[in-house]
Amino acid sequence: MMRVARQRIGARGATVDEGKLLRERKGAPLLTMQRTAYDNAGRAVEYGRHAYRPDLYAFEPPSSTAEEVVTAP
């Protein structure tokens, strides 16, 4: 069971392969995300690197109270 995930969101230009897959030119701006999810014991159980076309993606961060915020080890 996942307990918490850490995400890093950024931007960069598309590679040739990404451009082909996303139907964009090389160097077109892309949004990026790296995500690692941890279980209750603090072990990494999921890792992903993603690239998105900014015109087809929206990010809506969760809203948390101080009591709901949990950090990974």
Side-chain angles (χ1 to χ4, degrees):
M1 170 190 253
M2 285 191 285
R3 178 175 179 224
V4 67
R6 288 197 168 166
Q7 298 183 134
R8 172 179 282 172
I9 297 170
R12 62 172 170 73
T15 66
V16 172
D17 290 337
E18 289 168 336
K20 288 178 185 176
L21 289 169
L22 297 172
R23 297 185 176 146
E24 285 286 352
R25 63 177 171 33
K26 178 185 175 194
L30 298 179
L31 296 172
T32 61
M33 181 176 63
Q34 291 184 7
R35 173 185 166 93
T36 305
Y38 301 88
D39 66 11
N40 288 334
R43 295 176 297 227
V45 294
E46 175 188 285
Y47 176 78
R49 288 179 23 186
H50 313 277
Y52 304 96
R53 282 180 41 176
D55 61 331
L56 299 176
Y57 184 78
F59 176 72
E60 188 172 323
S63 177
S64 298
T65 64
E67 294 81 33
E68 295 172 329
V69 175
V70 180
T71 58

